[in-house]
Amino acid sequence: MFKVTIDGKTIEVQEGTTVLDAAKMLDIPIPTLCHHPKLTPFGGCRLCIVEIKGIPRPVTSCTTPVSDGMEVTTSNPYIEDLRKTVLELILSDHPNDCMVCEKAGDCTLQELAYFYGIRENRFEGERRIYTKRDGNPFIERDLEKCIMCGRCVKVCDEVEGVGAIDFGYRGFSSKICTPFGKDLNCEFCGQCVAVCPTGALTGKMWKQKGRQKDIKEIETTCPYCGCGCSLTLHVRRNEVIKITSREDTLNEGWLCVKGRFSYSFINSPDRLTKPLIRIAPKDQSNPPLPPFVKGGRGGINNSLLVTRYSSLFREASWDEAVDYIAKRLKTLKDKYGPDAIAGLSSARCTNEENYLFQKFMRAGIGTNNIDHCARY
Amino acid sequence: MQKNNLKKVIVRVCIGTGGLAAGGKEVIDAFKKEISDRCIDIDLDFTCHYQKVGCRGFCARDVLVDVVDGDKSLTYQCIKPEMAARIVDEHLIGGKPVKEWLIDDTYYAFHAKQKKILLKDCGTIDPEDINAYIDVGGYSGIKKVLSEMNPEDVISEIKASGLRGRGGAGFPTGLKWEICRKTPGDTKYIICNADEGDPGAFMDRSIIEGNPHSVIEGMMIAGYAVGSDHGYVYIRAEYPFAVERLRLAISQAHERGYLGKNIFGSNFGFDIKVKLGAGAFVCGEETALIASIEGQRGMPRAKPPFPVHHGLWGKPTVINNVETLSNIPYIIRNGAQWYASIGTEKSKGTKVFALTGKVKNTGLIEVPMGITLREIIYDIGGGIIGDREFKAVQTGGPSGGCIPAEMLDIPVDYESLAQVGSIVGSGGMVVLDETDCMVNIARFFLEFTQAESCGKCVPCRIGTKRLLEILDRITKGLGREGDIELLQKLSSDIKAASLCGLGQTAPNPVLSTIRYFREEYEAHIRDKKCPAKVCRDLLTYYIIEEFCKGCGACLRACPSGAITGEKKKLHKINPDICIKCGACFEVCKFKAVGRE
Amino acid sequence: MAGLATVFGSGAMTNSITEIEDNDVLFVIGSNTTETHPIIGLKMKKAVRKGARLIVADPRRIDLVRFAHLWLRQRPGTDIALLNAMMHVILAEGLEDKRFIEEWTEGYDEFRKTLNEYTPEFAEKLSGVPKDDIVRAARLYASAEKAGIYYTMGITQHSMGTNNVFAIANLALLTGNLGKENSGVNPLRGQNNVQGATDMGCIPDVYPGYQKVHIPAIKDKFERAWERKLSDRPGLTATEMTEAAIEGRIKAMYIMGENPVMSDPYMNHTIKALKGLDFLVVQDIFMTETAELADVVLPAASFAEKDGTFTNTERKVQRVGKAVNPPGEARDDLRIITELSNRMGYLMHYNTPEDVLHEIGSLWPAMAGMDYRRLEKTGLQWPCPTKDHPGTPYLFKGGFPRGKGAFTPVTAIPSKELPDREYPYVLSTGRVLFHYHTGTMTRRSEALNKVIPEAYVEINPEDAMAIGIKDSERIRVSSRRGSIEIKAMLTDRAGRGMVFIPFHFREAAANVLTNDALDPYCKIPELKVCAVRIERI
């Protein structure tokens, strides 16, 4: 254990702890931009600089491990002045469009600019201008808002193990890019979007759907594979507009392309909204499968479906539909016995629903013919 | 044709950086051709051997050719291929040297105040033959170390010698080794930093090309002292010739058993790998260099932890530059006492500089620490070209500063140069005269560092860009009141907040030029004038009526058609069309074009 | 699951997902983890970064191979030969955990004899894995302090799937890699609540909590709780239902949230069965391929529109929260079932989904300690018998439910349908990262469809060259059961002699081709091996 004194407060920490983490334990705030607790330290934004007794120049607290007896000053006029210069420099190369930015209200840079009261900027000059030209359907990249914190690069390498992006070029022209400017092997997990502190990386489908302030967040569990990742559904006006995940969960805030981006089925116009009762005779009921719209728009062609279904089914009220089912099942059960009826329940439904379903089949119908798709 | 008892004549040609550029290879070919042409007609009474040797320093007089006949050696200067025939006829066959082509007094003067340790063998021994190095005492250092000294002895010897890192920062080499030795760990690395990126610097390149084995021996001794059996040489791919020499030297050392396991029958083993860098300036920074060897983008990492604790692949690592390591065998061979007797109290030994700029004798020099700048520029360098007025000397490359005339008598050592706002650096030394604009010089270096910034940290990536933009507008006559103060403030913030040495030193040229040449900045900003008449946007060209003969030379030279005038009559420059290229100024024989 | 239940007395992942990152050795067999379980894949990558050794056994060059220290490319359907040979090596080199075998297992002596013939040389002949690699894998796995085995359908979807699981269990028992943190046998469940559906008794022979329907005492307990006479005859599995429907023994089916037309093997057979029913009810959120055949279709709520719980692959029960209202008149399944049941004269009344959870807890002690308040934060892993029980991250600490772990000798037998002159290629089916199961949800995502818009067949470039197929060319793949047209993707992900088709795509449905041969124990169909022919069109 090392003893370290930060702003006059002393704490004992494990060897290898960084000054930033030690300060966090003491609840001493240090501004950061490129730091992310789940990624290796970077030390690029220079905002977390502190003074350490015996070291001639300021050092970044996120990269500096504590040593025994270390004395740290996290804030004084000199340090704050340097931080302000750094922030002004970043903002001198940042589009001033918080008004329409997707990230406004949830942006670390905006937050820092506010706390440091940066109205005027001593520095002005060229801004990097990039034309957007990416065709991927998930991630909106706005390189002009990129502050080169490297979080996306590191999450892609260290967490996802893909390494689809890295720093490229040098000097003022350096930027985050894919090898040779192509979208190679990206899994669109959106981890980079999750860790981006500014509006440089956002979800394409979040665009103009609502900003953080009027969003209701609901915790739930992912409906896809068996990992059981925690999801936070962002809801505005009865619509799920975005999915994120908290960091203190089983999945540590990481999601895959399905969990993070594939929620549009909830609001799909194809959703069934009314009970349907067959009108077409059974033997006609297997018309050729509808053509799929290839490449791009994807999914099923709605107009085709509607006409086809109306020839197969008619809409009914719940009352009529349930009544009809109850009657038919009872008749068949009376005629052939309960074991002539079988039920398939679903791995997509909740435990409660599954329990009730099998209870209904076993006690209500009287058969053990109940299964689900565990084997596929 | 070959007879056994013929005497042996050696033609030794410099093909170092300067020699190669001046046509060293062609000179060798010319000699070979001339000799073989003669063979057809006459029986020569000698056999001719050719040696390609490394840089001898005086690049202004390249190509330098030695003719060694027994124990007599004569040196020719400024040799071109077509001159080979006469030397062959008159000297080699006729026995009479071509006197007017031999080196002159200036050549001797160039060397008089130098103290050659590292460069002594450079340019005399054959770098492609390990025996040549062994003949002059090579590998006796490592032999001595392995048979007589334990690692701690080696470290204390290096510490006693007072050797400090020649890469720029001047950290005591022995201390670095000691810290690394004491850091626990089974695997440790020695890295030789040969990523010489300063524009105009070629010290390390010359050493590797001229005497590669001294670097290898230095690394081996370092490895023994630190407890490492593995070394890397990180060298830029733009040095293909050095890479080739180095690889050859390593393979020769392997063949001899000097590298590998159980060197000289001891338990010590050492091996060296060569890693090529892609020519990023920032990869000279040690942590970026480590990242590059690891296969990452060459971006610096924060220190601490320092490489001696947590270096390559996370293992304790010593990084020394070429010149530092090349010193080691000589220190071991001749003793720490000997080395410490050279130089000043805190800066020991010699330092190699690449002397360039507006000085008459440009080249590679090795001087004892503590020599004054005046001695270097006037005695070794022979003064300013055209005997113009000396203005400043820029030391330490893009990270260094400019030292003005009034400080010419300060001694060259780490502390003294730091005191006046510059650094020794890796050894670049650019001499500036009255025709150099100091704002423009600062802008030039900033342009370089900005373009070479890795982009990782904000102050360096954006800060140097803003510095450059301010300098740019000043040289364009768009400077504003307060720009100087803004430059100073931003510079000092960049120095304080940047991640690595590149950013921490990038503003040095700006700060030192403001410090010593503030009035030049003010002239640009307030009077919109460039006193050195360099900044194009601040110049106007005009015809001086009383000198103009109406010859029409300027009219023909003008690329933009800004000059009008009939033959034998006064010409005129239209300032609206003039693009200020200066072509008329250069071409006028009558000094009738004025510039202001 | 039946396999593990036989060996240990309980069938589920023995360890937690979070334990993965601290394993010394991970043995991933028959699981394309990074695509089918991306977040578990991340944990595996993290483990490798932290120094763990990764062994991957898979016929395809899956993405995880990039991170593996050893990749065993067995031929599809030859896992037993591979696993038995590894155990042969472990015994030959004395790497078994003798104390563990002594203390915690039974049937060892009989079992060890059966391994004699499985020399690495023999296994190389059967599986195609070089014998040195088998030896290396055996040493690596056996010498680890904390070794975990991870598998999915690549192991189970075979006609000898249960035997495959036995072999895996044997390997773990032999080396004592069980009952400890970071050590165990971990089947990764493929769907969000497949664990839960199984736990809840949605399988024909058990009530909730794996309580056998044929044991009178248990039946009595449920009859008392549910106030009805119950049948003690185990019911039919899904695949058997299809058969029974065709034979006319099943007259009506009620399908809630399933799409057997797409997910079951031998699609034409399934359609025929469902069409032959007297009455079919399908309850779903979309008009699925199955719903099209229904007499009544009921609109249900999606996961975002209801409250409840899911149980993930590590037995962790987690909350599902209602975020939005269902569209139109769609209702959550709970309400639909309750109403139907009441209409049929079996009265059900629950105020909230949580009431249902409490009823579950009263009948299955493993979930008795759970309530929504406790689950709110991070969920709980069963068994969690009391309100103050913290849940169980790993199973079998200090013993197996059935007493001792049982060694089960298994022999390598070939798959039911092997390639021949007429159908010379082996077809495996599975999932891709960008789609899910029958595609009902993901294929309605424009974005996902943009990345992978259509079905494809992975085929080894050398095989393709032999047939004269170019990349992206449309080709025909046929089996004895049907034929589809599909785009060819030339990639060395597929080994020589095998092809792979994801089964998400209705327009080129892989299950038209697959074989409905079943594993005799747990009735899982052989979706990973059938013989196909490939032709240019």
Side-chain angles (χ1 to χ4, degrees):
Chain A
M1 297 295 271
F2 284 169
K3 202 179 244 174
V4 52
T5 308
I6 304 176
D7 294 346
K9 293 187 208 165
T10 303
I11 188 173
E12 279 208 4
V13 294
Q14 290 275 320
E15 196 179 332
T17 311
T18 63
V19 174
L20 182 68
D21 287 338
K24 224 170 253 169
M25 292 173 202
L26 287 168
D27 205 22
I28 295 170
I30 297 176
T32 59
L33 203 46
C34 67
H35 179 73
H36 191 282
K38 294 233 154 75
L39 304 171
T40 53
F42 188 61
C45 76
R46 317 305 290 169
L47 280 173
C48 70
I49 45 171
V50 294
E51 283 193 313
I52 293 172
K53 203 171 166 187
I55 298 181
R57 64 171 70 245
V59 296
T60 41
S61 56
C62 68
T63 58
T64 310
V66 294
S67 57
D68 202 24
M70 192 181 253
E71 287 177 42
V72 182
T73 310
T74 68
S75 179
N76 59 31
Y78 172 63
I79 292 282
E80 295 299 342
D81 187 52
L82 281 179
R83 287 179 184 155
K84 202 164 175 233
T85 299
V86 167
L87 267 177
E88 283 182 49
L89 285 172
I90 295 174
L91 291 167
S92 75
D93 182 32
H94 195 84
N96 198 2
D97 69 348
C98 300
M99 299 268 228
V100 290
C101 183
E102 201 59 49
K103 194 82 171 179
D106 191 27
C107 168
T108 319
L109 183 61
Q110 194 185 38
E111 195 83 346
L112 287 165
Y114 165 77
F115 278 117
Y116 279 85
I118 296 176
R119 276 192 169 279
E120 310 278 301
N121 196 332
R122 286 167 291 169
F123 311 112
E124 54 181 351
E126 187 188 336
R127 276 208 299 109
R128 292 164 302 154
I129 304 293
Y130 295 107
T131 33
K132 285 183 211 157
R133 50 168 189 92
D134 49 346
N136 88 71
F138 303 98
I139 300 166
E140 180 82 10
R141 287 186 293 174
D142 188 346
L143 286 180
E144 291 174 22
K145 289 179 185 164
C146 172
I147 54 162
M148 304 282 285
C149 67
R151 285 190 193 180
C152 52
V153 171
K154 275 184 295 165
V155 82
C156 193
D157 176 36
E158 294 172 10
V159 173
E160 200 65 22
V162 170
I165 45 173
D166 204 341
F167 290 85
Y169 305 89
R170 283 183 215 161
F172 192 67
S173 322
S174 44
K175 62 174 177 180
I176 310 295
C177 53
T178 56
F180 310 107
K182 285 182 183 155
D183 271 337
L184 293 180
N185 63 10
C186 176
E187 293 177 357
F188 300 112
C189 62
Q191 251 68 284
C192 52
V193 178
V195 297
C196 181
T198 71
L201 295 174
T202 51
K204 275 226 161 96
M205 49 271 273
W206 307 345
K207 215 175 194 175
Q208 289 154 10
K209 284 279 188 183
R211 290 202 290 206
Q212 213 51 36
K213 71 167 181 36
D214 44 23
I215 279 173
K216 198 171 66 167
E217 293 184 3
I218 287 108
E219 299 299 324
T220 192
T221 305
C222 181
Y224 288 103
C225 77
C227 294
C229 299
S230 298
L231 301 183
T232 306
L233 306 185
H234 296 236
V235 177
R236 181 173 177 270
R237 296 187 168 187
N238 202 39
E239 185 186 349
V240 176
I241 59 164
K242 180 175 168 181
I243 291 181
T244 60
S245 183
R246 287 177 319 179
E247 278 165 29
D248 59 346
T249 55
L250 160 78
N251 47 304
E252 303 179 61
W254 313 132
L255 293 173
C256 74
V257 62
K258 296 190 289 288
R260 194 184 298 282
F261 291 125
S262 312
Y263 53 85
S264 60
F265 73 89
I266 301 171
N267 296 315
S268 167
D270 299 351
R271 283 287 298 275
L272 296 172
T273 55
K274 281 211 160 192
L276 302 170
I277 293 179
R278 172 170 295 275
I279 48 173
K282 268 260 165 116
D283 47 314
Q284 280 181 24
S285 65
N286 196 21
L289 293 169
F292 268 73
V293 182
K294 275 183 208 131
R297 299 263 316 139
I300 294 157
N301 189 323
N302 296 321
S303 54
L304 270 174
L305 288 189
V306 171
T307 49
R308 197 158 64 87
Y309 291 158
S310 53
S311 70
L312 294 177
F313 299 99
R314 69 172 169 84
E315 289 181 355
S317 72
W318 273 102
D319 207 41
E320 185 195 355
V322 173
D323 220 43
Y324 177 53
I325 297 170
K327 218 170 61 209
R328 291 284 289 145
L329 288 180
K330 230 184 269 173
T331 315
L332 290 165
K333 181 180 157 187
D334 290 347
K335 193 166 169 196
Y336 300 105
D339 282 343
I341 300 172
L344 280 181
S345 105
S346 172
R348 218 82 64 247
C349 291
T350 64
N351 288 325
E352 290 78 356
E353 289 160 348
N354 275 302
Y355 171 81
L356 272 202
F357 188 81
Q358 61 89 33
K359 183 180 173 186
F360 168 72
M361 290 303 294
R362 289 195 160 109
I365 303 282
T367 177
N368 283 319
N369 287 338
I370 158 85
D371 202 0
H372 72 287
C373 67
R375 299 170 189 83
Y376 313 124
Chain B
M1 194 167 68
Q2 293 286 344
K3 291 169 195 166
N4 280 334
N5 49 358
L6 293 181
K7 68 171 177 170
K8 193 168 141 186
V9 173
I10 300 169
V11 174
R12 197 187 275 150
V13 180
C14 163
I15 50 164
T17 310
L20 210 57
K25 273 196 170 156
E26 290 76 14
V27 169
I28 291 190
D29 293 341
F31 270 97
K32 281 184 181 163
K33 183 177 174 295
E34 298 300 338
I35 296 277
S36 61
D37 284 353
R38 305 292 185 282
C39 284
I40 302 165
D41 304 328
I42 40 173
D43 269 353
L44 298 181
D45 63 342
F46 61 90
T47 58
C48 192
H49 297 256
Y50 305 95
Q51 259 181 23
K52 295 181 219 164
V53 295
C55 183
R56 353 240 335 225
F58 203 176
C59 303
R61 295 291 160 92
D62 269 323
V63 175
L64 293 162
V65 177
D66 284 349
V67 176
V68 188
D69 184 357
D71 50 2
K72 236 177 77 186
S73 169
L74 288 170
T75 306
Y76 291 97
Q77 60 182 14
C78 302
I79 299 304
K80 307 227 166 325
E82 58 270 22
M83 295 156 82
R86 187 170 159 204
I87 295 173
V88 169
D89 285 336
E90 293 183 18
H91 187 167
L92 271 65
I93 298 171
K96 276 190 213 149
V98 186
K99 273 212 177 115
E100 62 266 38
W101 291 351
L102 288 173
I103 47 172
D104 54 14
D105 289 347
T106 319
Y107 188 88
Y108 294 110
F110 180 77
H111 289 95
K113 290 216 168 167
Q114 294 196 46
K115 165 96 190 153
K116 293 206 172 188
I117 299 172
L118 305 178
L119 298 182
K120 190 166 143 271
D121 298 330
C122 232
T124 50
I125 62 168
D126 184 349
E128 296 187 350
D129 181 5
I130 191 172
N131 292 317
Y133 180 64
I134 294 170
D135 287 346
V136 295
Y139 289 110
S140 64
I142 180 71
K143 220 176 270 181
K144 177 176 166 189
V145 160
L146 291 177
S147 55
E148 298 169 17
M149 302 167 83
N150 61 37
E152 286 77 11
D153 295 339
V154 178
I155 287 172
S156 48
E157 186 79 1
I158 300 299
K159 280 170 88 173
S161 78
L163 175 66
R164 293 168 66 175
R166 297 294 194 240
F171 191 83
T173 305
L175 185 58
K176 191 185 262 186
W177 291 12
E178 189 176 37
I179 298 169
C180 189
R181 171 155 195 90
K182 285 181 177 163
T183 307
D186 299 334
T187 312
K188 294 176 186 179
Y189 294 102
I190 306 293
I191 295 177
C192 170
N193 182 351
D195 191 67
E196 192 173 41
D198 289 8
F202 54 102
M203 297 74 65
D204 295 345
R205 169 181 176 165
S206 296
I207 291 169
I208 291 182
E209 285 178 358
N211 194 0
H213 288 282
S214 68
V215 182
I216 295 174
E217 190 181 355
M219 289 179 74
M220 293 167 73
I221 296 169
Y224 177 74
V226 166
S228 157
D229 59 1
H230 210 104
Y232 284 90
V233 180
Y234 186 85
I235 182 166
R236 38 183 25 216
E238 291 98 318
Y239 284 179
F241 198 49
V243 172
E244 192 185 303
R245 285 260 162 98
L246 187 65
R247 286 196 168 136
L248 182 69
I250 290 171
S251 76
Q252 284 177 350
H254 260 292
E255 278 164 30
R256 284 277 176 136
Y258 290 3
L259 283 175
K261 288 192 175 120
N262 303 102
I263 296 166
F264 295 121
S266 72
N267 287 328
F268 176 66
F270 196 75
D271 212 338
I272 296 177
K273 271 190 191 143
V274 177
K275 279 272 176 182
L276 299 194
F281 178 62
V282 72
C283 285
E285 201 281 339
E286 53 186 7
T287 56
L289 187 152
I290 286 173
S292 179
I293 293 181
E294 289 173 356
Q296 311 282 326
R297 173 179 162 95
M299 290 210 292
R301 297 165 184 173
K303 295 187 280 192
F306 291 93
V308 280
H309 295 124
H310 190 92
L312 185 64
W313 317 113
K315 308 289 185 207
T317 303
V318 161
I319 300 189
N320 286 135
N321 93 327
V322 172
E323 192 182 337
T324 315
L325 287 166
S326 169
N327 266 305
I328 303 295
Y330 297 97
I331 293 172
I332 296 294
R333 256 185 256 163
N334 302 318
Q337 289 282 314
W338 160 80
Y339 195 80
S341 71
I342 307 162
T344 66
E345 199 200 328
K346 285 188 172 167
S347 305
K348 300 294 186 192
T350 60
K351 175 79 194 90
V352 182
F353 286 98
L355 184 61
T356 56
K358 302 290 171 60
V359 76
K360 281 179 186 159
N361 305 330
T362 55
L364 200 66
I365 61 169
E366 182 175 0
V367 290
M369 287 285 194
I371 192 172
T372 66
L373 284 167
R374 188 180 300 280
E375 285 174 290
I376 291 179
I377 293 162
Y378 285 95
D379 297 344
I380 299 174
I384 308 297
I385 297 173
D387 292 323
R388 286 195 293 259
E389 189 146 340
F390 169 85
K391 189 176 204 172
V393 56
Q394 212 278 353
T395 66
S399 316
C402 290
I403 302 165
E406 57 267 33
M407 290 176 178
L408 270 180
D409 290 310
I410 61 160
V412 173
D413 62 50
Y414 292 103
E415 277 72 26
S416 306
L417 289 190
Q419 228 166 35
V420 300
S422 186
I423 56 169
V424 172
S426 61
M429 198 173 266
V430 186
V431 178
L432 308 170
D433 70 8
E434 53 186 333
T435 63
D436 290 306
C437 168
M438 298 316 283
V439 185
N440 194 46
I441 289 289
R443 201 192 63 84
F444 168 81
F445 281 113
L446 249 296
E447 207 170 12
F448 178 82
T449 40
Q450 156 59 211
E452 291 293 339
S453 163
C454 77
K456 179 170 177 174
C457 79
V458 174
C460 182
R461 183 180 75 245
I462 308 178
T464 59
K465 173 76 177 172
R466 299 291 172 247
L467 277 184
L468 177 61
E469 284 170 340
I470 298 170
L471 290 169
D472 218 43
R473 71 177 180 231
I474 294 177
T475 59
K476 289 207 165 90
L478 302 169
R480 305 166 198 164
E481 226 25 79
D483 270 357
I484 297 179
E485 291 70 28
L486 190 58
L487 281 173
Q488 284 176 315
K489 167 70 180 149
L490 182 53
S491 291
S492 71
D493 284 359
I494 293 172
K495 279 173 75 101
S498 284
L499 173 83
C500 83
L502 196 157
Q504 287 161 7
T505 59
N508 281 349
V510 182
L511 287 175
S512 71
T513 50
I514 293 179
R515 181 166 165 188
Y516 298 117
F517 302 95
R518 193 183 179 104
E519 67 285 353
E520 269 193 54
Y521 279 84
E522 286 167 351
H524 281 77
I525 296 169
R526 289 187 194 145
D527 312 331
K528 311 294 178 203
K529 291 267 185 255
C530 174
K533 296 178 180 166
V534 171
C535 299
R536 193 188 276 189
D537 290 309
L538 302 182
L539 296 179
T540 44
Y541 286 87
Y542 57 92
I543 304 286
I544 304 165
E545 292 185 12
E546 56 265 45
F547 297 151
C548 180
K549 306 270 189 253
C551 70
C554 58
L555 190 146
R556 286 189 295 278
C558 181
S560 61
I563 301 177
T564 50
E566 284 173 36
K567 258 217 145 96
K568 310 268 182 193
K569 284 193 180 155
L570 182 66
H571 283 50
K572 263 208 161 122
I573 300 176
N574 181 347
D576 295 337
I577 303 175
C578 175
I579 57 162
K580 300 170 186 185
C581 67
C584 53
F585 185 83
E586 303 292 330
V587 83
C588 181
K589 277 184 269 183
F590 310 104
K591 294 204 189 298
V593 177
R595 181 167 67 173
E596 221 158 55
Chain C
M1 291 309 122
L4 282 190
T6 311
V7 180
F8 307 131
S10 165
M13 248 177 106
T14 61
N15 303 81
S16 299
I17 292 171
T18 41
E19 287 169 41
I20 294 173
E21 61 180 79
D22 290 316
N23 280 8
D24 297 333
V25 166
L26 295 100
F27 183 24
V28 178
I29 180 164
S31 165
N32 181 9
T33 319
T34 56
E35 289 199 69
T36 58
H37 298 80
I39 300 304
I40 292 178
L42 293 190
K43 301 276 181 191
M44 290 177 175
K45 294 173 190 172
K46 193 169 177 184
V48 170
R49 215 166 18 252
K50 284 168 92 170
R53 316 288 283 178
L54 171 65
I55 311 168
V56 172
D58 203 293
R60 297 166 67 211
R61 183 192 287 277
I62 53 174
D63 191 48
L64 206 54
V65 170
R66 285 198 293 129
F67 301 85
H69 299 88
L70 193 56
W71 173 37
L72 315 172
R73 186 174 217 168
Q74 79 274 37
R75 294 189 190 109
T78 61
D79 306 273
I80 290 176
L82 175 64
L83 291 163
N84 276 357
M86 280 175 67
M87 290 185 264
H88 179 101
V89 173
I90 288 168
L91 287 177
E93 303 195 355
L95 299 171
E96 74 273 22
D97 187 339
K98 294 187 183 72
R99 251 189 66 193
F100 184 89
I101 295 168
E102 179 77 15
E103 228 169 297
W104 291 113
T105 69
E106 57 187 32
Y108 173 63
D109 290 328
E110 214 175 303
F111 162 73
R112 72 169 299 163
K113 282 180 218 139
T114 63
L115 292 176
N116 285 342
E117 60 173 310
Y118 289 93
T119 60
E121 292 77 10
F122 177 60
E124 175 172 349
K125 248 183 255 155
L126 291 182
S127 69
V129 179
K131 61 178 193 292
D132 291 346
D133 284 351
I134 297 176
V135 173
R136 230 175 284 154
R139 285 179 189 153
L140 206 52
Y141 175 78
S143 57
E145 193 56 44
K146 299 178 286 184
I149 305 179
Y150 301 86
Y151 67 88
T152 56
M153 296 302 185
I155 282 297
T156 52
Q157 282 178 343
H158 290 280
S159 53
M160 71 304 253
T162 306
N163 280 345
N164 284 344
V165 174
F166 284 146
I168 286 174
N170 289 339
L171 180 61
L173 288 171
L174 190 65
T175 50
N177 274 315
L178 274 169
K180 299 186 281 188
E181 206 173 348
N182 314 107
S183 290
V185 176
N186 297 289
L188 307 177
R189 309 307 302 262
Q191 297 167 57
N192 59 326
N193 201 31
V194 70
Q195 182 72 45
T198 318
D199 294 346
M200 290 307 106
C202 289
I203 26 181
D205 58 337
V206 292
Y207 296 119
Y210 308 95
Q211 309 180 67
K212 300 276 186 200
V213 294
H214 66 267
I215 297 175
I218 293 172
K219 196 175 74 124
D220 286 353
K221 171 172 124 183
F222 279 91
E223 282 179 345
R224 267 198 309 281
W226 291 346
E227 299 169 340
R228 275 287 167 113
K229 271 272 167 226
L230 299 174
S231 161
D232 59 358
R233 215 157 54 117
L236 303 175
T237 64
T239 24
E240 287 168 335
M241 287 177 197
T242 312
E243 218 46 59
I246 283 184
E247 289 165 15
R249 287 184 283 125
I250 293 278
K251 298 290 181 191
M253 275 186 83
Y254 181 7
I255 300 177
M256 172 176 84
E258 291 274 273
N259 189 8
V261 170
M262 283 293 287
S263 61
D264 287 19
Y266 197 179
M267 180 189 268
N268 297 336
H269 201 59
T270 314
I271 291 174
K272 191 177 156 202
L274 294 178
K275 272 165 86 174
L277 290 171
D278 282 6
F279 190 57
L280 174 63
V281 183
V282 173
Q283 180 172 318
D284 213 309
I285 61 173
F286 288 111
M287 182 57 75
T288 63
E289 292 77 1
T290 305
E292 285 172 23
L293 306 175
D295 293 277
V296 183
V297 180
L298 299 176
S302 78
F303 84 107
E305 295 146 5
K306 57 194 177 192
D307 278 303
T309 57
F310 286 155
T311 306
N312 77 350
T313 180
E314 52 166 0
R315 299 167 279 105
K316 185 183 272 181
V317 182
Q318 304 188 101
R319 279 283 276 121
V320 176
K322 180 173 173 179
V324 291
N325 294 320
E329 293 177 22
R331 290 178 180 179
D332 63 75
D333 302 270
L334 222 51
R335 191 170 158 200
I336 302 172
I337 300 164
T338 318
E339 206 162 312
L340 178 62
S341 190
N342 289 340
R343 212 60 79 99
M344 300 234 351
Y346 179 59
L347 296 184
M348 288 185 181
H349 178 75
Y350 301 95
N351 286 322
T352 62
E354 194 174 8
D355 288 353
V356 182
L357 183 74
H358 290 151
E359 184 173 315
I360 298 165
S362 71
L363 289 164
W364 185 31
M367 278 176 72
M370 296 182 188
D371 58 46
Y372 279 9
R373 195 188 47 77
R374 289 193 73 191
L375 296 175
E376 216 66 63
K377 192 98 183 111
T378 53
L380 288 165
Q381 281 165 286
W382 64 254
C384 172
T386 56
K387 291 280 180 215
D388 53 1
H389 192 283
T392 310
Y394 62 97
L395 297 176
F396 313 144
K397 186 180 184 178
F400 300 107
R402 70 182 294 279
K404 285 190 171 188
F407 280 106
T408 320
V410 287
T411 48
I413 46 161
S415 305
K416 282 277 145 55
E417 188 180 73
L418 292 174
D420 51 26
R421 285 223 349 241
E422 202 178 346
Y423 296 97
Y425 292 91
V426 174
L427 166 71
S428 275
T429 64
R431 295 183 186 169
V432 299
L433 174 65
F434 290 92
H435 284 294
Y436 179 66
H437 218 58
T438 66
T440 313
M441 300 190 289
T442 53
R443 295 218 58 211
R444 284 184 167 78
S445 157
E446 259 182 45
L448 290 174
N449 266 311
K450 203 165 176 182
V451 181
I452 300 198
E454 57 174 329
Y456 58 85
V457 51
E458 284 181 5
I459 173 166
N460 189 285
E462 287 177 47
D463 287 339
M465 212 195 304
I467 316 170
I469 291 171
K470 288 194 238 6
D471 199 34
S472 298
E473 183 178 338
R474 291 198 73 77
I475 58 172
R476 176 174 292 119
V477 183
S478 325
S479 75
R480 290 189 172 81
R481 292 155 294 279
S483 153
I484 57 172
E485 282 181 20
I486 191 166
K487 193 173 83 173
M489 180 199 269
L490 272 53
T491 166
D492 73 339
R493 278 167 71 90
R496 296 273 334 241
M498 79 167 286
V499 295
F500 172 85
I501 302 178
F503 68 94
H504 316 289
F505 303 91
R506 60 188 275 168
E507 67 277 25
N511 281 326
V512 168
L513 308 170
T514 46
N515 190 0
D516 58 349
L518 298 184
D519 175 82
Y521 304 94
C522 74
K523 318 292 184 195
I524 197 164
E526 187 150 58
L527 292 171
K528 294 295 183 240
V529 180
C530 76
V532 293
R533 183 172 60 220
I534 297 166
E535 300 153 299
R536 301 190 61 188
I537 300 173

